[in-house]
C-alpha cells in the first residue's frame, strides 16, 4: 500500500537521527509534548508511521538511555503504541526537561532545552512526527501540529516564529490545541527545515501545476468567449447580408462592401483576420471590421 503524502514526509524526516545528545533530547521533548500522553501516570506514544516507530526506541536510548516498557510489532497493521509506566523511568524523563513528578505539573516548553538553533529544529521535528500531519498538495495546502497542552501550543508558536520568521494560525479542536499553516510556501519551508526537502518540493510542484492549469483554463475560457463573440458577429453580418439581398440592394453596394459581404457569405465561420486576407488586395483586420460595420449600417438604413 503506497504511503500517504504525510507518511512519506515523516519517513523522509526519519532518515537521519540527531547526532548530538542535546538535539536527541530536544527531539524527544517535541515528541512527548505532542504525544498522546505524557504525565506522571505514564507515557503513551501512538503512531501509524513505521519509520517513526523504528527510530523512536533509538531516540529514547540516545536521549535518556532507557527502553520503553511496551513495544509494538512493526509488522502489526494499524496504529503502533509505545508505553512507559515504570515510575523511575518517568521521573528520569521528566527531570531531563526540568519537571518534577512530585509537584503539580503544567507541561510547557522548557526554553533551555531548545536554546540552540539545532535543538529548536529537532524539537519541531519531534512535534511533527508525534502530533503533525500534512495534506496531499493535490487536494489542498494544510499542515498542522496538535497538542493537548495550551502552554505548549503558545510556546511552540513562538518557536516557529523565531525559527521560520512566519507565524502559524491557531485553533482549538476537541479539547486540543492546533497550530496550522495554509500557505504552500510556508509549508514547503517548514518541511525543508525539518529535513523533508523531497516533500517540500512536492508542495511547490503541485502549486506550479495548479497555477499552470489555472492559466490554461483562463486561456481556454477566454478563447471560448472570443469564439462566441466571433460567431455572434458573423450571424449578425449574415443576417444583414440576407436582408440586403432580399431587398435587391446587395448588387448595388459599393464594390468593397459587396466584396466583403460575398466573402462572409461564402465563409460564415471565418474570423475578421481571415476575411481580411481574402480581399483583393488583402486588407488589415481593422479595415475589414470597418467594412462589416458599414454593411450593418446599410442594412439598418433599409429597416428604417
Amino acid at each position: 500500500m503506497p504511503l500517504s503524502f504525510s507518511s512519506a514526509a515523516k519517513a523522509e524526516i526519519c532518515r537521519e537521527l540527531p547526532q548530538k545528545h542535546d538535539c536527541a533530547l530536544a527531539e524527544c521533548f517535541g515528541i512527548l509534548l505532542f504525544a498522546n500522553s505524557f504525565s506522571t501516570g505514564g507515557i503513551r506514544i501512538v503512531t501509524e508511521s513505521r519509520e517513526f516507530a523504528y527510530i523512536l526506541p533509538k531516540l529514547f536510548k540516545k536521549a535518556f538511555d532507557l527502553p520503553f516498557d511496551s513495544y509494538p510489532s512493526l509488522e502489526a497493521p494499524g496504529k503502533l503504541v509505545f508505553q512507559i509506566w515504570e515510575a523511575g523511568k518517568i521521573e528520569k524523563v521528566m527531570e531531563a526537561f526540568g519537571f518534577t513528578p512530585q509537584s503539580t505539573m503544567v507541561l510547557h516548553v522548557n526554553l533551555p532545552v531548545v536554546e540552540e538553533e539545532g535543538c529548536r529544529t529537532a524539537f519541531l521535528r519531534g512535534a511533527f512526527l508525534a502530533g503533525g500531519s500534512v495534506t496531499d498538495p493535490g487536494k489542498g495546502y494544510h499542515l498542522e501540529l496538535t497538542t493537548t497542552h495550551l502552554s505548549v501550543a503558545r510556546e511552540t508558536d513562538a518557536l516557529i516564529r523565531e525559527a521560520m520568521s512566519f507565524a502559524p494560525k491557531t485553533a482549538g479542536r476537541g479539547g486540543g490545541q492546533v497550530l496550522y499553516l495554509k500557505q504552500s510556501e510556508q509549508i514547503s519551508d517548514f518541511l525543508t527545515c525539518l529535513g523533508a526537502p523531497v516533500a517540500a518540493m512536492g508542495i511547490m510542484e503541485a502549486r506550479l501545476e495548479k497555477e499552470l492549469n489555472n492559466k490554461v483554463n483562463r486561456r481556454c475560457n477566454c478563447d471560448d468567449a472570443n469564439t462566441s463573440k466571433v460567431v455572434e458577429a458573423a450571424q449578425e453580418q449574415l443576417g444583414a447580408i440576407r436582408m440586403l439581398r432580399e431587398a435587391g440592394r446587395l448588387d448595388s453596394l459599393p464594390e468593397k462592401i459587396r466584396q466583403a459581404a460575398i466573402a462572409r457569405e461564402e465563409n460564415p465561420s471565418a474570423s475578421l483576420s481571415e476575411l481580411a486576407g481574402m480581399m483583393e488586395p488583402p486588407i488589415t483586420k481593422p479595415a475589414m471590421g470597418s467594412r462589416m460595420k458599414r454593411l450593418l449600417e446599410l442594412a439598418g438604413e433599409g429597416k428604417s
Side-chain angles (χ1 to χ4, degrees), residues 222-260:
C222 181
D223 289 346
D224 288 344
N226 289 337
T227 299
S228 297
K229 290 179 181 178
V230 168
V231 171
E232 290 173 4
Q235 291 301 317
E236 185 180 12
Q237 293 156 11
L238 288 168
I241 295 167
R242 187 165 51 252
M243 185 182 300
L244 290 167
R245 185 179 292 282
E246 291 173 354
R249 299 173 55 204
L250 189 62
D251 292 339
S252 63
L253 295 178
E255 178 59 25
K256 292 181 180 180
I257 305 301
R258 192 175 69 83
Q259 185 185 24

Side-chain angles (χ1 to χ4, degrees), residues 151-277:
S151 295
V152 170
R154 290 174 176 169
E155 292 159 352
T156 302
D157 178 290
L159 286 179
I160 293 175
R161 291 168 186 262
E162 184 176 355
M164 305 300 303
S165 300
F166 55 70
K169 298 182 184 297
T170 60
R173 183 196 298 158
Q177 299 296 316
V178 181
L179 304 173
Y180 64 95
L181 304 172
K182 298 290 286 185
Q183 296 184 22
S184 59
E185 298 94 334
Q186 292 180 355
I187 296 172
S188 179
D189 288 348
F190 190 75
L191 290 174
T192 299
C193 175
L194 300 190
V198 174
M201 183 62 68
I203 297 285
M204 298 315 296
E205 287 176 350
R207 178 193 170 194
L208 292 173
E209 184 176 353
K210 287 180 181 179
E211 290 178 350
L212 178 60
N213 288 338
N214 287 338
K215 287 180 180 179
V216 170
N217 289 335
R218 284 196 297 269
R219 178 63 182 270
C220 289
N221 291 338
C222 181
D223 289 346
D224 288 344
N226 289 337
T227 299
S228 297
K229 290 179 181 178
V230 168
V231 171
E232 290 173 4
Q235 291 301 317
E236 185 180 12
Q237 293 156 11
L238 288 168
I241 295 167
R242 187 165 51 252
M243 185 182 300
L244 290 167
R245 185 179 292 282
E246 291 173 354
R249 299 173 55 204
L250 189 62
D251 292 339
S252 63
L253 295 178
E255 178 59 25
K256 292 181 180 180
I257 305 301
R258 192 175 69 83
Q259 185 185 24
I262 293 172
R264 170 53 79 197
E265 274 191 313
E266 294 176 350
N267 303 276
S269 62
S271 65
L272 281 180
S273 296
E274 291 169 336
L275 291 176

Side-chain angles (χ1 to χ4, degrees), residues 43-300:
I43 293 171
R44 189 169 186 265
I45 302 169
V46 181
T47 183
E48 292 184 353
S49 169
R50 268 56 191 166
E51 291 77 12
F52 177 41
Y54 177 74
I55 70 164
L56 186 55
K58 297 181 180 181
L59 278 170
F60 267 62
K61 177 68 175 176
K62 189 174 185 67
F64 312 112
D65 193 26
L66 57 79
F68 285 92
D69 293 328
S70 174
Y71 294 85
S73 168
L74 297 185
E75 304 302 322
K79 295 181 178 180
L80 306 175
V81 182
F82 293 82
Q83 295 186 86
I84 295 177
W85 54 72
E86 288 185 16
K89 292 181 181 180
I90 294 171
E91 183 174 359
K92 183 175 182 178
V93 171
M94 289 186 173
E95 287 179 349
F97 301 123
F99 301 132
T100 57
Q102 293 76 19
S103 63
T104 301
M105 187 178 68
V106 176
L107 291 178
H108 63 89
V109 179
N110 193 349
L111 295 181
V113 178
V114 294
E115 186 174 4
E116 299 296 328
E117 181 179 351
C119 292
R120 284 196 297 271
T121 299
F123 175 87
L124 294 175
R125 282 163 53 97
F128 180 74
L129 289 172
S133 64
V134 58
T135 301
D136 187 316
K139 300 176 181 178
Y141 304 123
H142 185 88
L143 181 147
E144 66 177 45
L145 305 173
T146 304
T147 178
T148 56
H149 313 291
L150 180 59
S151 295
V152 170
R154 290 174 176 169
E155 292 159 352
T156 302
D157 178 290
L159 286 179
I160 293 175
R161 291 168 186 262
E162 184 176 355
M164 305 300 303
S165 300
F166 55 70
K169 298 182 184 297
T170 60
R173 183 196 298 158
Q177 299 296 316
V178 181
L179 304 173
Y180 64 95
L181 304 172
K182 298 290 286 185
Q183 296 184 22
S184 59
E185 298 94 334
Q186 292 180 355
I187 296 172
S188 179
D189 288 348
F190 190 75
L191 290 174
T192 299
C193 175
L194 300 190
V198 174
M201 183 62 68
I203 297 285
M204 298 315 296
E205 287 176 350
R207 178 193 170 194
L208 292 173
E209 184 176 353
K210 287 180 181 179
E211 290 178 350
L212 178 60
N213 288 338
N214 287 338
K215 287 180 180 179
V216 170
N217 289 335
R218 284 196 297 269
R219 178 63 182 270
C220 289
N221 291 338
C222 181
D223 289 346
D224 288 344
N226 289 337
T227 299
S228 297
K229 290 179 181 178
V230 168
V231 171
E232 290 173 4
Q235 291 301 317
E236 185 180 12
Q237 293 156 11
L238 288 168
I241 295 167
R242 187 165 51 252
M243 185 182 300
L244 290 167
R245 185 179 292 282
E246 291 173 354
R249 299 173 55 204
L250 189 62
D251 292 339
S252 63
L253 295 178
E255 178 59 25
K256 292 181 180 180
I257 305 301
R258 192 175 69 83
Q259 185 185 24
I262 293 172
R264 170 53 79 197
E265 274 191 313
E266 294 176 350
N267 303 276
S269 62
S271 65
L272 281 180
S273 296
E274 291 169 336
L275 291 176
M278 298 174 189
M279 297 297 99
E280 294 291 343
I283 60 176
T284 63
K285 177 182 176 181
M288 192 68 196
S290 295
R291 292 189 186 185
M292 287 301 176
K293 182 179 180 181
R294 181 57 181 156
L295 184 68
L296 296 173
E297 291 172 348
L298 291 171

Side-chain angles (χ1 to χ4, degrees), residues 6-29:
S6 188
S7 296
K10 290 185 179 183
E12 189 178 359
I13 291 169
C14 291
R15 289 176 184 172
E16 292 187 13
L17 286 170
Q19 297 301 310
K20 296 171 59 178
H21 174 265
D22 289 349
C23 289
L25 193 66
E27 189 159 331
C28 287
F29 200 21

